[in-house]
């Protein structure tokens, strides 16, 4: 595990430049480092040692051979692939994943990606043919960025690693801001840095003769079966247990994040680590510590926990936004940063429950209340006009109900967050930042892939491509790596999604619960009260913080700054802040989204 960075292109003092690039991601790998420099190619790696402690150094290559690799992640079926390659005549000198990837690429070429079970981002440089091959795992657990500027290709685990290179142009992407205000994260493939792109999940790329080509190698697909519920639950429980076992590969001690939700509880109950880790806030409504301690006690596991101080949270916001690379206003990145720090005191590998909601139907947005079911018995000719009309209404009670009840997901659902409506975002932005892709243009390509599917499946598919990758997984990677720990996510596994894709919609979401089949499977290990718990998320009391004078004044200083005037109508954003501070309305998330961007911008461009 760790992080990689590098470039292809003629560069003076390449070793000095690469060293500086690697220093910018030292948090991803504080244990050791390695460089490969030859002609125009420079590959650097920062290592976090948790497996193959003796032989896992990178970049990985053999002097007499053509291929050089830098790799961040873990391949859980590396033993099986190794045996397959040995039977095909390959000779191995180590037991590392790195050598499996090198020989696997020699044998299978670009189709290697379809054989891998794991989380990964890697590049392979072909010294002989002057060709770069890069790939990212099927879910997007590990980040991968690239840019082509001034005759140089950049690639790496974090954008900040590109900054020291003289050929890198640091320029704000004006198109990124408006969609961010709606989605709360950077939703476009081109990042907030102009010309820097994310390699999408389940894609590989090649770079040869100055040309970049990207290709998708896998896409999620739901294929429900008519199996009895008991069979589905049995298969689901078996595959979860097997995946947790496969993810345990490590030469260091492991732990587990634990909230009060079923996902992390299921993982902890099967894994049975020595320690679980939980954080929360002083207000009982914003803390899951008591529930996590109770379950840990029942499982015979020690729970390490901490109550977070708001002053420290505000103090660390600049560091948090810096570590994220791009502005991110999901409030949960704050407690996650401190949770990772807490865990890093005891372990280098931590298990977490990400992905179960997207795979098995866990979000409230997927559910229909009894009142909604009754409403949908009205003719669509009645409901649809009301839904269309409601989209243009101010934020009043019942608006969301009428929209959801009268329109298809394509017409209203964009994921698990919607901070600013598109028109509202336009009104607070200066003209330079309004000529951007529309929300519909962003979500339509994904909906086009699931025409004819039921509403729940459509929403899950969209979340798997946007919310999961660029919110849930990005913050998990960046906040854990900020403290040099490796997060394992056993629900996001090739074998698990094979079972998840078979679950009929009625066993994902029904009148009884969300994640219905999943919860029944969890009851085989968990007490019923934990398996049935409603999703809380990572609650953060930002709306209360912003109504405290000291935090209000801190935010106000940013909103009134010269910097803010570049992007926003300052009167409009001050109105949002003051209305919230005075208790007139809850603008907490909107204020936080603007504030997060301004903190990020000051750090990178100030």
């Amino acid at each position: 595990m760790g992080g990689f960075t590098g470039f292809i292109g003629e560069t003076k003092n390449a070793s000095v430049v690469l060293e500086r690039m690697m220093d910018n991601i030292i948090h991803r790998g504080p244990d050791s480092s390695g460089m490969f420099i030859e002609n125009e190619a420079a590959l650097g790696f920062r290592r976090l040692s948790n497996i193959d402690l003796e032989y896992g150094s990178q970049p990985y290559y053999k002097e007499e051979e053509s291929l050089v690799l830098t790799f961040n992640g873990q391949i859980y079926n590396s033993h099986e692939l190794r045996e397959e390659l040995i039977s095909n005549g390959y000779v191995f000198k180590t037991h590392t994943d790195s050598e499996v990837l090198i020989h696997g690429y020699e044998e299978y070429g670009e189709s290697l990606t379809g054989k891998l079970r794991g989380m990964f981002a890697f590049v392979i440089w072909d010294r002989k043919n002057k060709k770069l091959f890069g790939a990212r795992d099927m879910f997007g657990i590990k980040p991968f960025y690239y840019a082509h500027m001034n005759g140089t290709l950049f690639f790496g685990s974090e954008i900040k690693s590109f900054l020291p290179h003289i050929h890198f142009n640091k320029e704000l992407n004006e198109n990124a801001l408006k969609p961010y205000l709606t989605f709360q994260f950077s939703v476009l493939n081109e990042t907030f840095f102009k010309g820097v792109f994310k390699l999408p999940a389940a894609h590989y790329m090649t770079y040869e003769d100055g040309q970049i080509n990207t290709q998708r190698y896998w896409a999620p697909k739901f294929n429900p079966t008519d199996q009895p519920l008991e069979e589905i639950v049995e298969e689901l429980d078996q595959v979860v247990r097997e995946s947790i076992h496969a993810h345990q590969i490590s030469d260091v001690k492991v732990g587990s994040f634990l909230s009060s939700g079923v996902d992390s509880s299921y993982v902890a109950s099967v894994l049975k680590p020595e320690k679980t880790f939980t954080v929360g806030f002083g207000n009982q409504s914003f803390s899951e510590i008591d529930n996590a301690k109770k379950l840990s006690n029942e499982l015979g596991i020690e729970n390490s926990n901490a109550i977070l101080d708001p002053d420290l949270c505000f103090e660390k916001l600049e560091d948090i936004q810096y570590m994220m690379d791009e502005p991110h206003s999901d409030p949960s990145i704050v407690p996650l940063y401190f949770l990772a720090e807490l865990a890093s005191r005891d372990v280098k590998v931590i298990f977490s429950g990400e992905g179960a909601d997207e795979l098995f139907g866990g979000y409230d947005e997927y559910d229909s209340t009894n009142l909604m079911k009754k409403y949908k018995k009205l003719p669509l000719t009645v409901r649809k006009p009301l839904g269309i009309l409601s989209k243009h209404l101010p934020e009043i009670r019942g608006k969301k109900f009428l929209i959801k009840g009268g329109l298809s997901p394509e017409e209203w659902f964009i994921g698990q967050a919607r901070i600013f409506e598109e028109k509202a975002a336009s009104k607070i932005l200066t003209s330079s930042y309004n000529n951007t892709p529309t929300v519909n243009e962003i979500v339509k390509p994904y909906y086009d892939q699931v025409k004819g599917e039921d509403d729940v499946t459509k929403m899950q598919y969209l979340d798997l491509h946007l919310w999961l990758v660029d919110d849930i997984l990005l913050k998990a990677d960046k906040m854990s790596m900020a403290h040099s720990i490796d997060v394992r996510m056993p629900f996001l596994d090739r074998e698990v999604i094979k079972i998840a894709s078979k679950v009929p919609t009625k066993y994902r979401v029904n009148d009884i619960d969300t994640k219905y089949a999943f919860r029944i499977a969890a009851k085989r290990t968990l007490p019923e009260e934990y398996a049935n718990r409603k999703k809380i998320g990572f609650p953060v009391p930002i709306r209360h913080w912003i109504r405290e004078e000291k935090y209000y004044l801190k935010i106000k200083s940013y909103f009134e700054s010269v910097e803010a005037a570049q992007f926003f109508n300052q009167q409009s954003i001050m109105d949002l802040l003051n209305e919230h501070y005075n208790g007139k309305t809850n603008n907490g998330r909107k204020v936080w989204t603007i504030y997060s961007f301004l903190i990020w911008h000051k750090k990178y461009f100030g």
Side-chain angles (χ1 to χ4, degrees), residues 394-406:
E395 296 303 316
I396 59 172
R397 190 173 181 179
K399 174 181 176 177
K400 189 174 180 180
F401 178 89
L402 292 172
I403 291 172
K404 187 176 178 179

Side-chain angles (χ1 to χ4, degrees), residues 23-61:
D23 285 346
N24 275 6
I25 56 168
I26 194 170
H27 49 277
R28 296 190 76 92
D31 296 329
S32 66
S33 65
M35 295 193 298
F36 171 87
I37 299 174
E38 183 178 74
N39 300 322
E40 72 272 38
L43 285 75
F45 187 74
R46 292 291 333 185
R47 187 181 182 208
L48 178 63
S49 303
N50 53 38
I51 193 169
D52 296 311
L53 302 184
E54 184 177 356
Y55 298 107
S57 297
Q58 294 185 41
Y60 182 85
Y61 68 102

Side-chain angles (χ1 to χ4, degrees), residues 128-316:
K128 180 180 177 181
N129 297 307
K130 308 296 183 185
K131 177 181 178 181
L132 187 86
F133 175 76
R136 190 178 183 193
D137 66 74
M138 59 198 293
F139 294 104
I141 298 171
K142 287 294 160 190
F144 189 125
Y145 300 97
Y146 67 93
H148 194 207
M149 297 177 180
N150 301 311
T152 299
L153 176 77
F154 301 94
F155 49 87
S157 301
E158 298 191 12
I159 301 170
K160 63 180 68 67
S161 71
F162 303 161
L163 300 179
H165 200 290
I166 193 170
H167 292 167
F168 181 74
N169 297 331
K170 187 179 72 171
E171 185 178 350
L172 184 71
N173 175 17
E174 294 180 346
N175 289 336
L177 180 54
K178 185 178 172 184
Y180 157 82
L181 293 176
T182 294
F183 287 87
Q184 85 175 5
F185 54 85
S186 174
V187 72
L188 306 178
N189 272 344
E190 186 176 15
T191 68
F192 266 82
F193 292 86
K194 194 169 186 176
V196 179
F197 296 85
K198 311 163 195 168
L199 182 64
H203 279 66
Y204 64 77
M205 65 170 284
T206 59
Y207 177 73
E208 190 173 18
D209 297 327
Q211 298 297 312
I212 298 172
N213 290 295
T214 61
Q215 180 70 44
R216 174 180 281 277
Y217 65 83
W218 175 84
K221 186 169 178 60
F222 290 88
N223 297 296
T225 69
D226 56 1
Q227 286 177 271
L229 177 61
E230 295 77 12
E231 284 185 17
I232 290 172
V233 169
E234 174 65 27
E235 289 185 24
L236 201 163
D237 187 47
Q238 284 184 7
V239 79
V240 165
R241 291 172 183 273
E242 189 276 331
S243 182
I244 290 172
H245 176 73
H247 281 64
Q248 281 180 262
I249 302 169
S250 175
D251 293 331
V252 295
K253 190 165 67 172
V254 304
S256 185
F257 289 154
L258 183 60
S259 67
S260 63
V262 61
D263 306 340
S264 63
S265 299
Y266 196 179
V267 171
S269 67
V270 174
L271 179 65
K272 295 282 180 64
E274 290 182 23
K275 265 191 177 184
T276 59
F277 301 89
T278 314
V279 296
F281 297 94
N283 186 321
Q284 194 64 31
S285 301
F286 296 90
S287 179
E288 300 177 285
I289 291 175
D290 288 348
N291 288 327
K293 285 170 63 176
K294 184 181 175 184
L295 177 59
S296 294
N297 288 337
E298 290 189 32
L299 296 174
I301 301 169
E302 180 184 353
N303 177 255
S304 178
N305 58 76
I307 294 175
L308 303 182
D309 174 17
D311 285 345
L312 188 57
C313 291
F314 269 84
E315 181 185 320
K316 289 293 183 180

Side-chain angles (χ1 to χ4, degrees), residues 366-488:
Y366 303 160
D367 194 11
S368 289
T369 62
N370 287 329
L371 182 60
M372 178 63 75
K373 290 183 177 74
K374 290 178 181 177
Y375 180 65
K376 284 192 172 182
K377 291 180 179 177
L378 291 174
L380 184 61
T381 52
V382 175
R383 290 183 285 114
K384 189 172 180 70
L386 289 174
I388 295 171
L389 176 64
S390 298
K391 290 183 77 172
H392 303 287
L393 293 175
E395 296 303 316
I396 59 172
R397 190 173 181 179
K399 174 181 176 177
K400 189 174 180 180
F401 178 89
L402 292 172
I403 291 172
K404 187 176 178 179
L407 304 177
S408 67
E410 293 93 324
E411 297 170 288
W412 68 272
F413 182 75
I414 66 165
Q416 298 305 316
R418 184 193 289 264
I419 309 303
F420 282 90
E421 294 293 341
E422 204 162 6
K423 286 184 178 179
S426 294
K427 287 180 180 178
I428 67 167
L429 286 169
T430 58
S431 58
S432 299
Y433 298 91
N434 258 311
N435 186 24
T436 65
T438 66
V439 169
N440 183 62
E441 287 170 343
I442 292 167
V443 301
K444 187 177 184 299
Y446 303 105
Y447 279 125
D448 285 347
Q449 300 300 312
V450 283
K451 288 180 178 177
E453 299 285 358
D454 61 78
D455 287 358
V456 171
T457 299
K458 287 178 180 179
M459 289 187 278
Q460 284 181 263
Y461 192 84
L462 186 72
D463 277 341
L464 278 165
H465 285 86
L466 297 183
W467 173 257
L468 178 66
V469 183
D470 292 326
D471 190 293
I472 299 295
L473 298 182
L474 189 70
K475 72 188 181 190
D477 174 86
K478 297 293 179 68
M479 295 298 91
S480 61
M481 281 295 177
H483 300 288
S484 308
I485 60 171
D486 164 20
V487 176
R488 306 275 175 88

Side-chain angles (χ1 to χ4, degrees), residues 74 78 82 145 184 283 391 404 493 500 526 558 570:
Q74 199 78 51
S78 63
R82 187 175 188 272
Y145 300 97
Q184 85 175 5
N283 186 321
K391 290 183 77 172
K404 187 176 178 179
D493 179 80
L526 284 173
Y558 273 83
Q570 286 181 292

